[in-house]
Amino acid sequence: MSRSKSTGAMYRRLATQVRVSALRMVHRAKSAHIGSSLSMADLLAVLYGRALRVDPARPDWAERDRFLLSKGHASAGMYSVLAERGFFPKEWLDDFYLDGSHLGGHVTYGVPGVEASTGSLGHGLSIGCGMALAGKRDKQSYRVFVLLSDGECDEGSTWEAALFAAHHGLDNLVAIVDYNKIQSFGTVKEVLDLDPLVGKWQAFGWAARQIDGHDFEQIESALLGVPFESGRPSCLVAHTVKGKGVSFMENRLAWHYSPPSDEQLRQALQELEASE
């Protein structure tokens, strides 16, 4: 098997396990946001499979890359990939969002591998700007990656941070937009149309590209190629599918909030196992 095929298979296995674990967690806790976790699973697989310079045995390693999940409501996916990479025991996933759990319903600082508590939308990119600016001024080599939802691109604070990053030449900062085109109460186009999204980031001074957010080769090529331009922050608009990997969840608004029933969980897991 060629290296590219073996690497792709590794990403696929990791993404599938993230989806499986996230489904089990949301089902057990009767919580929400499974569609949001599934849409970003392939992005997380490449980030944590290769792109990020991190060490699970040393989550506070000073030279580590910083990753922020600004869409902190998709915590089940984030916790799943951290557990798969060995930042904390997989057993922690079993009591996700339950009383006394290590793992809250939104991404929470204090969990190994988590850089900041997130979930109040529009804050993650601002936090990332601060980290990136500190890295520049301290002459550190780490990069800062921020994964945003498309819905939080409705927030003024996101665009204020975008202006700040370009003004300060933060080419150690990478924004990734999970552009699944569905937010809380409707499609992005219905709620507040963002197109042309790549053009907006470019107009704010960023080097911006768009990819298929479920194509591992495209994801890897983009993430290993940052910064896209010296002296500019990088934005990757990743076109994704809400609920990706589970046929009856794909592109369905209901799965922003609804947890799967017992039967729906069985069907979802069967589909994911068959995709391997």
Side-chain angles (χ1 to χ4, degrees):
M1 182 182 293
S2 68
R3 183 190 175 281
S4 61
K5 288 184 178 179
S6 62
T7 302
M10 180 271 290
Y11 292 147
R12 188 168 293 104
R13 285 193 298 271
L14 180 53
T16 298
Q17 191 53 56
V18 167
R19 290 186 168 102
V20 167
S21 294
L23 280 159
R24 293 186 183 280
M25 292 159 68
V26 169
H27 169 263
R28 188 183 299 112
K30 294 181 172 57
S31 60
H33 307 304
I34 186 57
S36 303
S37 290
L38 298 180
S39 68
M40 69 176 184
D42 298 323
L43 297 168
L44 291 178
V46 179
L47 281 161
Y48 282 91
R50 186 176 182 197
L52 292 174
R53 296 194 301 253
V54 292
D55 182 353
R58 296 182 295 161
D60 297 326
W61 175 40
E63 297 177 24
R64 72 191 182 281
D65 286 336
R66 276 66 169 165
F67 175 77
L68 297 161
L69 183 65
S70 189
K71 46 176 275 181
H73 53 282
S75 57
M78 176 71 176
Y79 293 146
S80 296
V81 77
L82 289 176
E84 285 297 319
R85 280 299 315 272
F87 281 87
F88 54 80
K90 291 183 182 180
E91 288 75 19
W92 286 18
L93 303 180
D94 295 340
D95 60 2
F96 164 72
Y97 207 21
L98 302 178
D99 287 346
S101 174
H102 294 89
L103 308 177
H106 284 64
V107 171
T108 304
Y109 181 73
V111 175
V114 172
E115 299 287 350
S117 297
T118 56
S120 183
L121 295 179
H123 291 181
L125 191 58
S126 296
I127 297 170
C129 283
M131 291 178 171
L133 183 63
K136 283 282 189 184
R137 293 189 172 179
D138 291 342
K139 295 181 169 51
Q140 297 297 310
S141 62
Y142 66 76
R143 292 92 48 84
V144 182
F145 293 77
V146 183
L147 180 55
L148 304 100
S149 69
D150 44 19
E152 69 180 314
C153 291
D154 296 351
E155 303 277 354
S157 54
T158 295
W159 296 106
E160 182 180 0
L163 284 171
F164 180 94
H167 177 79
H168 289 280
L170 300 181
D171 57 3
N172 57 343
L173 176 65
V174 183
I176 306 164
V177 182
D178 181 11
Y179 200 15
N180 62 40
K181 304 172 185 67
I182 294 177
Q183 54 191 104
S184 298
F185 300 114
T187 66
V188 169
K189 187 168 287 293
E190 292 169 337
V191 176
L192 194 62
D193 193 1
L194 291 172
D195 283 338
L197 187 54
V198 172
K200 287 181 172 64
W201 286 93
Q202 290 171 336
F204 273 64
W206 290 56
R209 299 180 183 177
Q210 57 186 332
I211 60 165
D212 178 344
H214 301 303
D215 184 308
F216 293 119
E217 288 188 10
Q218 290 187 36
I219 300 168
E220 182 187 68
S221 177
L223 291 176
L224 296 184
V226 296
F228 299 145
E229 293 182 29
S230 178
R232 291 178 182 266
S234 302
C235 177
L236 185 62
V237 175
H239 292 273
T240 61
V241 174
K242 192 95 162 190
K244 177 68 175 177
V246 179
S247 62
F248 60 88
M249 293 184 177
E250 290 187 355
N251 288 316
R252 300 293 179 87
L253 175 62
W255 297 104
H256 189 84
Y257 287 118
S258 300
S261 66
D262 292 351
E263 178 55 36
Q264 287 168 332
L265 176 66
R266 282 192 290 271
Q267 182 180 342
L269 295 180
Q270 286 173 357
E271 289 189 13
L272 288 169
E273 289 168 2
S275 70
E276 276 291 271

